[in-house]
Amino acid sequence: MKKLEQLEEDLHKASLYNRSLIEASVDPFVTISHEGKIMDVNKATEEATGISREQLIGTDFCDYFTEPDKAREGYKKVLSEGIVRNYPLTIRHISGKTTPVLYNATIYTNEVGEVEGVFAVARDISARKKAEEDLRKASLYNRSLIEASVDPLVTISREGKIMDVNNATEEVTGISREQLVGTDFCDYFTEPDKAREGYKTVLSEGIVRDYPLTVRHISGKTTPVLYNATVYRNEAGEVGGVLAAARDIADVKEIKQKLHKAHLEQERLTSELNIAKQIQLSVIPQKFPKIPGAEIFARTLPARVVGGDFYDFLFVDPGLLCFAIGDASGKGVPAALFMSLSQAFLKATAIRGYEPGECLTYVNELLDRDIHLDMYITLFYGILDPQTGELKYSNAGHDSPFIIDEKGRPEHLPITGEIPLGIDKNARYTTCMRQLENGIFLYSDGVTDAIDKNGNRFTGQRLLKLLKKMEPFSPESAVNHVLCKVEEYTSGVHQVDDITLLAVKYLGNGPGIQKTKDN
């Protein structure tokens, strides 16, 4: 009789232990019969489905997923193969909310080794957290559940001794289960005192989440982990020990290190780009001196830190104003470098006093000889005599400028039909002439191709209408007004192309330019 009572007492304790383990899990847990019926669940399953334990028990396991057939295939696979790891399913809550999970499941057997059913634990992957696999049952029930986990699991006594582990714990420490059981839990970490503080915190507070430790393998290898642990209780409600699951965060730490390295590299590149921007700005004129007989003003707005547009002007004997606007193919650093070389070649050629067509022909030859890249640049180069208003120019595929007549009316300068520089080494560029009555307005295609939030282009027609309303014509006012209107038009839209504007006004019968040190 006493033996029977003892057996009943032991069974009662095992049942309480199992229940405590089930409810200690933060993950949905379920036991399933051969026929696919739910035999038991925990609180997390009730929360995940929105249905009480009483209502769930006896119903079809597959009915609580968005893909019932796939769920049925899953538990049948466990029955046939004995185990399933990371099986993807989506739990459906009665409210309609869904939770993507990975199921780890295994069979459990009775005392004669016959399969009774399936243990299944769902790991919520919606927040990409590896959930701990809790011990659910005593004896074979506990063992099967522990081994279904890919994370190291351990039960620890109140005294800090290891009571049980799974295969993942053996792998991370390099020590067998038999050798681990009964030893001090803290002995397998690089910081034993910190590990001891951790499980004591669980005993005093009932739970610990994401507690950082580093497991030490017998080979010397270390594995950074985050421990999630909770207490389990006996039949009297007293704390029996701690159930702890370790989440390997080695990959997370590696990713963080790579992100940090990438951040440092990004800072370095940003610094270099800012230096490049300052260098680029330093070679593009920012001051516009007073010129006898003429006025000039320009602005450029790169789409990125550095850009492929440029403008320039210089003075050559006898008292002539040379000016240019260009747009290199591409964007960013490659375009900026190609633009800078083109600008340097142009300036070095212009100061020799070549005619515009000869100048562009020579620059084209230099680009072909020295730059072996599949790039090109559109370029308009003009030479104005401020004393007479005579304009000589050559256009290498650039957008046709607007000529402003004496009444302030804009009209397109006829297109010469010549191709951009850098395409054909044998290309020859002609010099054209035009008498300026008032001024000339030049721009890059970043102006006319600018788009609004609906994808509509700014267009050359809109630019023409703006210029018609600006009387009297003033280079600084015209450039600033057009740039302001383009920025208003593209408000809320990321700039995709460089924008450059250049305007020159002939004042009429000027005394010419005397070359000075300032010029």
Side-chain angles (χ1 to χ4, degrees):
M1 189 65 179
K2 288 184 177 181
K3 289 184 178 181
L4 179 59
E5 290 176 354
Q6 183 62 45
L7 287 173
E8 289 177 347
E9 177 67 14
D10 290 343
L11 180 61
H12 181 60
K13 288 181 178 180
S15 177
L16 288 174
Y17 180 57
N18 295 342
R19 190 76 235 153
S20 177
L21 289 177
I22 290 173
E23 295 305 337
S25 175
V26 295
D27 295 327
F29 170 85
V30 62
T31 56
I32 314 160
S33 70
H34 263 292
E35 296 74 26
K37 302 299 182 181
I38 294 175
M39 298 170 66
D40 201 359
V41 298
N42 67 345
K43 183 67 175 177
T45 305
E46 294 181 281
E47 293 174 353
T49 60
I51 302 172
S52 70
R53 177 171 175 264
E54 291 72 18
Q55 291 175 294
L56 287 168
I57 291 174
T59 60
D60 194 320
F61 166 74
C62 306
D63 289 343
Y64 304 100
F65 299 92
T66 57
E67 297 176 277
D69 290 340
K70 187 176 180 181
R72 186 171 292 104
E73 290 174 10
Y75 85 77
K76 285 184 178 180
K77 187 176 181 181
V78 183
L79 291 172
S80 63
E81 299 180 10
I83 192 168
V84 160
R85 295 183 186 275
N86 295 332
Y87 192 83
L89 288 171
T90 302
I91 298 175
R92 183 179 59 247
H93 192 275
I94 56 172
S95 66
K97 174 187 173 184
T98 59
T99 304
V101 297
L102 290 179
Y103 262 98
N104 287 284
T106 181
I107 58 171
Y108 66 90
T109 59
N110 59 21
E111 66 277 2
V112 295
E114 296 172 335
V115 175
E116 288 286 326
V118 172
F119 300 140
V121 182
R123 179 183 304 161
D124 183 347
I125 59 171
S126 59
R128 299 186 180 275
K129 292 184 177 179
K130 294 183 179 180
E132 64 206 51
E133 296 285 355
D134 289 341
L135 299 174
R136 293 302 184 193
K137 298 287 184 178
S139 184
L140 182 60
Y141 187 32
N142 295 338
R143 187 81 250 130
S144 298
L145 180 58
I146 290 173
E147 294 308 338
S149 174
V150 295
D151 294 329
L153 291 179
V154 61
T155 53
I156 313 161
S157 70
R158 292 181 60 87
E159 295 73 35
K161 301 299 181 181
I162 295 176
M163 299 172 64
D164 203 0
V165 298
N166 65 345
N167 186 61
T169 304
E170 294 179 285
E171 291 177 355
V172 79
T173 60
I175 302 171
S176 70
R177 177 174 175 261
E178 290 72 20
Q179 291 174 295
L180 287 167
V181 172
T183 61
D184 195 321
F185 167 73
C186 306
D187 289 344
Y188 304 99
F189 300 92
T190 57
E191 298 175 277
D193 291 339
K194 186 176 181 181
R196 186 171 291 106
E197 290 174 10
Y199 86 77
K200 286 184 176 180
T201 300
V202 183
L203 291 173
S204 63
E205 299 182 8
I207 193 169
V208 159
R209 294 184 185 275
D210 295 337
Y211 191 83
L213 287 172
T214 302
V215 180
R216 184 179 60 248
H217 192 275
I218 56 171
S219 66
K221 176 187 174 183
T222 58
T223 303
V225 297
L226 291 179
Y227 261 98
N228 290 284
T230 183
V231 296
Y232 64 86
R233 302 177 183 276
N234 60 22
E235 68 280 2
E238 299 170 339
V239 173
V242 172
L243 171 65
R247 182 184 308 157
D248 184 345
I249 59 169
D251 289 343
V252 175
K253 293 190 74 171
E254 183 181 355
I255 290 171
K256 286 183 177 180
Q257 290 172 351
K258 289 181 179 178
L259 286 174
H260 179 65
K261 185 178 180 180
H263 178 69
L264 293 177
E265 179 66 12
Q266 181 64 36
E267 287 184 339
R268 183 186 68 79
L269 290 174
T270 300
S271 175
E272 291 180 357
L273 283 174
N274 286 330
I275 293 171
K277 180 180 181 180
Q278 295 304 315
I279 293 173
Q280 186 178 43
L281 290 176
S282 70
V283 298
I284 295 178
Q286 303 297 315
K287 295 182 180 180
F288 305 92
K290 292 183 179 180
I291 304 170
E295 292 180 3
I296 187 168
F297 190 80
R299 287 184 66 181
T300 186
L301 189 63
R304 300 181 183 176
V305 179
V306 290
D309 281 11
F310 85 95
Y311 65 83
D312 203 353
F313 64 89
L314 68 155
F315 308 105
V316 297
D317 290 331
L320 302 177
L321 170 63
C322 303
F323 59 91
I325 185 171
D327 181 0
S329 60
K331 298 177 182 64
V333 174
L337 292 173
F338 190 72
M339 175 275 288
S340 296
L341 288 169
S342 303
Q343 182 187 11
F345 287 159
L346 176 64
K347 183 168 287 189
T349 306
I351 60 176
R352 298 183 180 183
Y354 292 153
E355 292 290 293
E358 294 176 312
C359 191
L360 294 192
T361 298
Y362 187 53
V363 170
N364 185 59
E365 292 173 354
L366 290 174
L367 289 173
D368 177 75
R369 187 190 70 185
D370 297 339
I371 310 300
H372 305 289
L373 296 173
D374 188 20
M375 298 185 74
Y376 62 86
I377 185 169
T378 65
L379 200 153
F380 181 96
Y381 174 51
I383 301 176
L384 174 66
D385 186 341
Q387 197 167 14
T388 65
E390 181 185 74
L391 173 66
K392 295 181 180 180
Y393 67 91
S394 186
N395 190 351
H398 198 78
D399 293 85
S400 179
F402 287 100
I403 293 293
I404 313 299
D405 68 15
E406 60 183 349
K407 294 184 179 180
R409 295 172 299 191
E411 63 173 310
H412 269 301
L413 192 64
I415 297 174
T416 60
E418 288 161 338
I419 63 175
L421 306 178
I423 293 178
D424 181 3
K425 66 179 180 179
N426 298 315
R428 294 293 179 266
Y429 297 86
T430 58
T431 297
C432 302
M433 296 183 62
R434 179 71 179 250
Q435 181 65 38
L436 279 192
E437 299 175 355
N438 193 345
I440 183 171
F441 187 90
L442 304 96
Y443 59 95
S444 67
D445 60 8
V447 175
T448 53
D449 288 343
I451 58 173
D452 64 11
K453 60 185 178 181
N454 296 316
N456 300 313
R457 295 174 62 251
F458 189 80
T459 73
Q461 191 64 31
R462 185 174 275 102
L463 175 58
L464 177 62
K465 289 181 180 179
L466 282 178
L467 293 175
K468 284 181 178 179
K469 296 178 181 178
M470 288 185 282
E471 189 180 348
F473 177 71
S474 161
E476 183 172 358
S477 296
V479 167
N480 287 333
H481 182 67
V482 170
L483 185 58
C484 179
K485 290 299 182 181
V486 171
E487 289 178 333
E488 287 179 6
Y489 187 81
T490 60
S491 177
V493 179
H494 179 69
Q495 183 183 341
V496 295
D497 199 3
D498 304 326
I499 294 174
T500 301
L501 301 164
L502 171 68
V504 179
K505 182 177 177 66
Y506 167 57
L507 299 177
N509 299 321
I513 300 171
Q514 300 301 315
K515 189 172 182 181
T516 67
K517 185 176 181 180
D518 290 338
N519 292 342

